[in-house]
Amino acid sequence: MTDKPDADPKAHPTGNAVKDPDHWVTGDQPMTGAQASYLQTLSEEAGAEFDPELTKADASKKIDALQEQTGRGD
C-alpha cells in the first residue's frame, strides 16, 4: 500500500464519482429504467434509433453522445 492519502479513492468519495463506463462493475447489465426513459427522449429529439437492449455502459455512452448532439450536455 502507498503512503499517499490520495491513493485510496474512498478517502475522497466525490473525487472518483465520474468513471469511464468501460470500467463500471455493473456496466454489462441491462440499462436502468431511468437510462431507458432519458435515452428514448434524447433519441426522439435527435432523430436517432432507440435500442432497448443496450447495457448500462453502452446506454451511458449513447446518452453522452446524444446530449452533445442535441445540446443538452454540460
Side-chain angles (χ1 to χ4, degrees):
M1 195 138 180
T2 179
D3 291 338
K4 294 182 180 180
D6 294 338
D8 180 8
K10 292 180 182 178
H12 303 284
T14 58
N16 69 346
V18 178
K19 290 185 179 180
D20 183 335
D22 289 329
H23 297 120
W24 290 356
V25 173
T26 61
D28 60 344
Q29 293 178 358
M31 73 175 124
T32 66
Q35 283 180 307
S37 176
Y38 189 46
L39 186 54
Q40 189 163 16
T41 298
L42 287 172
S43 295
E44 289 170 4
E45 287 183 11
E49 184 178 334
F50 171 71
D51 180 357
E53 301 299 318
L54 292 176
T55 64
K56 284 181 183 178
D58 289 338
S60 179
K61 292 179 206 175
K62 184 75 172 183
I63 287 169
D64 288 346
L66 291 176
Q67 281 181 324
E68 183 87 17
Q69 184 178 337
T70 61
R72 283 185 170 237
D74 295 320

